[in-house]
Amino acid sequence: MNFSGLLCRYGRFLATWTTSRPVRLYSCWKCNRALDRKQSMLFCPCDKKVLLPVSTHVNYFDVFDEKARYDISEKALTTKFRRLQSQLHPDKFSMKSESEKVHSLEQSSFVNQAYRCLLHPLSRAAYLLELSGSPLHEGEVEMSQAFLFSIMEINEQIENERNVETLKLLFNENRRKIDALRAKLASSFAANKIAEARLTVAELKYYINIEEKLLLKPGMES
C-alpha cells in the first residue's frame, strides 16, 4: 500500500473539520434532542436509542475514546474496534427503520476507516500531522544525501541477496530502526515538536518500505 493510501479515505477531510470548526450541537433525527456528538457518537441517549449518522465533528481518535497521541495501545485499539463493530452489526438493525439501516452501514464503514488508519504506525503519524495542521505530502521533506545513499545501499543489498538467513538479519536490523523511529515519534508528538515529527515520519516511510520489500523475498513469507 502506498503512503497516500495509508492516510485513509477521509482523513484529510475530517482533520480539516475537527481542527478548524468548533463542536456544534446536533439534533437527533428521531427525537430532536440537542446532542454533543463527541459524547453521543453512535446512539441518541433517548428512550429509543436510535442510531445516529456519522458526525464530521469527531476525529478518528474520538471514535475509540482515545486522546490524539501517537503512543497508543494497538491491542486496546483492536478490542475497542471489535466492540464497536459488534454494536453496529447489520443484523442488529434488520428490523429498524431504513434510516438506521443506512446509518449502520455508514457508521460501520467509518469505524473501519478509523481503525485501519490508527492501527498502522505510519498512517497514524500522518493523521496526527493532519490534525496538527501540518500535513505531510509526498516529497515535501528534503532528506539528506547521506540518508538517501544509505537507503539506496540497503535496497540494492535486498535486491541482490538470496540467502534467507542474511535477509532475516536485514529484516531484524530494519525492524530495530522502525522501533527506534516509532519511539522518537511518540516523544516528538508528546512534546509538540511537529517539525521533528515530520522528518521522522518521512524517514519511517523509507524503512517500512524496506520491510515490505524484504517480506516479498522468497523464503521470507513466514
Side-chain angles (χ1 to χ4, degrees):
M1 183 180 295
N2 61 36
F3 183 59
S4 59
L6 290 171
L7 291 179
C8 310
R9 188 173 169 185
Y10 297 118
R12 185 169 301 155
F13 169 74
L14 287 169
T16 300
W17 271 78
T18 54
T19 55
S20 64
R21 302 186 180 219
V23 176
R24 295 182 303 185
L25 293 180
Y26 165 89
S27 296
C28 171
W29 62 271
K30 186 71 172 180
C31 70
N32 291 321
R33 174 183 297 202
L35 303 171
D36 181 336
R37 289 307 305 275
K38 285 198 174 186
Q39 295 179 4
S40 303
M41 192 189 74
L42 295 180
F43 298 95
C44 176
C46 66
D47 294 339
K48 298 291 185 181
K49 295 288 184 184
V50 296
L51 185 62
L52 302 169
V54 171
S55 171
T56 53
H57 294 286
V58 297
N59 63 47
Y60 286 165
F61 291 94
D62 293 331
V63 172
F64 301 103
D65 195 25
E66 292 277 355
K67 292 182 179 179
R69 59 191 177 94
Y70 185 75
D71 189 20
I72 64 175
S73 167
E74 293 168 3
K75 182 178 180 181
L77 184 73
T78 298
T79 299
K80 292 178 180 180
F81 167 71
R82 289 172 177 166
R83 184 172 66 247
L84 285 172
Q85 286 296 53
S86 69
Q87 293 178 271
L88 296 169
H89 196 282
D91 287 351
K92 294 190 174 183
F93 299 91
S94 59
M95 303 300 292
K96 299 289 185 178
S97 67
E98 289 303 313
S99 292
E100 286 183 276
K101 290 178 184 178
V102 171
H103 296 334
S104 168
L105 294 173
E106 292 174 344
Q107 287 278 20
S108 180
S109 175
F110 179 62
V111 170
N112 267 307
Q113 291 160 15
Y115 176 67
R116 287 197 303 269
C117 184
L118 298 187
L119 185 65
H120 195 286
L122 185 57
S123 56
R124 187 193 316 143
Y127 186 63
L128 279 168
L129 290 178
E130 293 274 358
L131 291 179
S132 74
S134 300
L136 181 63
H137 302 299
E138 195 76 34
E140 266 191 349
V141 175
E142 185 174 349
M143 313 303 292
S144 71
Q145 289 301 310
F147 175 81
L148 293 174
F149 183 73
S150 68
I151 295 296
M152 183 180 67
E153 285 188 319
I154 296 171
N155 281 321
E156 287 179 353
Q157 186 176 4
I158 293 172
E159 184 177 350
N160 297 325
E161 188 60 63
R162 297 291 182 269
N163 185 279
V164 175
E165 292 306 313
T166 302
L167 289 169
K168 288 181 178 179
L169 289 174
L170 288 171
F171 180 89
N172 291 336
E173 181 181 351
N174 190 72
R175 171 48 61 175
R176 285 192 291 271
K177 292 177 181 177
I178 289 175
D179 290 342
L181 288 172
R182 290 184 64 178
K184 184 178 179 180
L185 270 177
S187 176
S188 297
F189 279 120
N192 200 33
K193 296 180 178 179
I194 301 303
E196 182 178 272
R198 282 167 59 85
L199 177 59
T200 306
V201 170
E203 292 177 351
L204 181 61
K205 174 190 171 184
Y206 283 95
Y207 289 112
I208 287 180
N209 184 54
I210 286 172
E211 181 172 272
E212 291 172 349
K213 287 183 178 179
L214 281 164
L215 290 174
L216 291 175
K217 297 288 287 189
M220 293 291 290
E221 297 84 356
S222 59

